[in-house]
Amino acid sequence: MVAKSRAKTGADDDGPWQPAPVPATSDLSEVEEAAKICTACHLYKRGTQTVFGEGPRRAKLLMLGEQPGDQEDLAGKPFVGPAGKLLDRALEETGIDRSEVYVTNTVKHFKWEPRGKRRIHQKPNSREIAACRPWMEAELRLVKPKVLVCLGSTAAQAIFGASFRVTRQRGVVLSSEFAARVVATVHPSSLLRQPDEEARAREYALFVADLKVAAKATAA
Ligand code: URA
């Protein structure tokens, strides 16, 4: 396995940056193969492996997160950790079948820093997001979802630009060059960080309401 044999230095921003080398193909699995050996930014040295999107190639609904977390990095699959479990619960409650959704991330490697024995999530910076962007654009171009759901500000700003604020523009149907209908909402991990049960329940209900907007837009 290519990624596992690489050194994990944890070093930041080392060396020149290249845009990710996306092959000119309409076959998403060929794009995924190329992404597995991407070295466009330094994050490949830190993550275990590239975590590419998964789901039906012709999915009507595409969900875009920020970057794989600790468990996703180990499993090689997006949204399988605590945030993913919460997303699964919310999707079920919304009546969306996850197996019909293409799920991916803005950045395909886990960015983390060590704290004791734990690997703590770090937000990707604008250069890392830019280096990884061609993979996201290829997924959006090839899946061509009817509806794109941006989970959190990293995803929403990758689609709408840095001035986009999820707090102000969540839960409404917008449009972009990547999908005719786009709904932005919070990242499910933000629900896990709520200070108490009451806040968690309130934020979860708002999250489900946003997903219902996306479900309705998908069915329309
Ligand atoms: N958070 C994300 O944005 N993506 C994942 O795949 C997991 C957690």
Side-chain angles (χ1 to χ4, degrees), residues 51 64-73 77-84 87 98 103-107 121 151-152 154-155 187-189:
V51 179
L64 181 66
E66 181 194 81
Q67 62 164 338
D70 182 73
Q71 292 192 29
E72 288 79 12
D73 170 74
K77 289 171 178 294
F79 283 103
V80 294
L87 176 63
R98 176 163 168 169
V103 181
T104 193
N105 284 299
T106 309
V107 169
H121 162 275
L151 299 169
T154 299
H187 194 283
S189 65

